[in-house]
Amino acid sequence: MVRSSVLGRAPRVEPGVEDRLMAERVVNGAADGGSRLVLRLSDDSEVTLPESLVKILLASANEFSEGHAVTVLASETSLTPTEVGELLGLSRPFVSRLLDAGDIPSERLPGSRHRVVRLADVLEFQERRDKRRTGRRRIAEEVESAEFPY
């Protein structure tokens, strides 16, 4: 059975100019943190969105306002090593080494050599990687500003 790409099926939305402006209005309007969002349905009835959904929409609006595309995937989505590489901007062989080393948890499919990785684990790895990168950058800046005599 051929598996189609999870990333290819995930809804990806590129913001246009009007989308960016509207998203910026939403983000600025919700800056006080106590905002409610009300969705008007096609039958003119209204639904007040729960706080968890408001957080998702505001996060998406924030990305849109900065001109970034948004892709929607559930954190429990299973990805192939190739898809992990696409998300992280890494090669599949390098991702395989990360999986082998246990840096990113993975599972082997039953009766197969193939592995799958949860999106949540990929995002957790990316967060750890970004924190290390930020830490290294701060250390380099501190060393530079210390003006050591060598």
Side-chain angles (χ1 to χ4, degrees):
M1 175 166 89
V2 176
R3 179 180 185 269
S4 63
S5 172
V6 170
L7 297 178
R9 291 190 323 260
R12 176 183 168 89
V13 183
E14 297 274 348
V17 175
E18 289 182 26
D19 297 328
R20 289 181 68 179
L21 294 173
M22 183 61 71
E24 194 171 318
R25 279 187 58 204
V26 169
V27 170
N28 292 336
D32 63 3
S35 296
R36 308 179 314 136
L37 288 179
V38 178
L39 180 65
R40 179 171 292 137
L41 303 175
S42 59
D43 65 358
D44 280 336
S45 62
E46 293 183 348
V47 177
T48 300
L49 299 178
E51 186 178 333
S52 56
L53 197 49
V54 171
K55 285 180 184 179
I56 293 169
L57 292 172
L58 288 176
S60 297
N62 188 50
E63 293 299 322
F64 258 40
S65 69
E66 294 176 9
H68 302 148
V70 174
T71 302
V72 180
L73 286 171
S75 59
E76 295 303 314
T77 299
S78 293
L79 304 170
T80 65
T82 300
E83 291 168 333
V84 172
E86 287 176 37
L87 275 177
L88 298 177
L90 304 172
S91 69
R92 188 206 45 79
F94 186 73
V95 169
S96 292
R97 287 196 297 271
L98 292 171
L99 299 178
D100 291 341
D103 293 333
I104 304 174
S106 66
E107 293 180 21
R108 292 218 181 262
L109 294 174
S112 173
R113 309 177 344 211
H114 298 285
R115 294 184 275 202
V116 292
V117 183
R118 287 177 348 133
L119 175 60
D121 292 330
V122 174
L123 297 175
E124 188 177 301
F125 169 80
Q126 181 66 32
E127 188 176 328
R128 287 191 318 264
R129 189 174 177 218
D130 288 344
K131 284 180 183 177
R132 282 193 303 267
R133 185 177 294 139
T134 301
R136 280 193 220 102
R137 193 175 304 124
R138 284 190 194 148
I139 290 170
E141 288 169 359
E142 289 298 319
V143 167
E144 267 184 36
S145 68
E147 297 180 17
F148 289 118
Y150 55 89

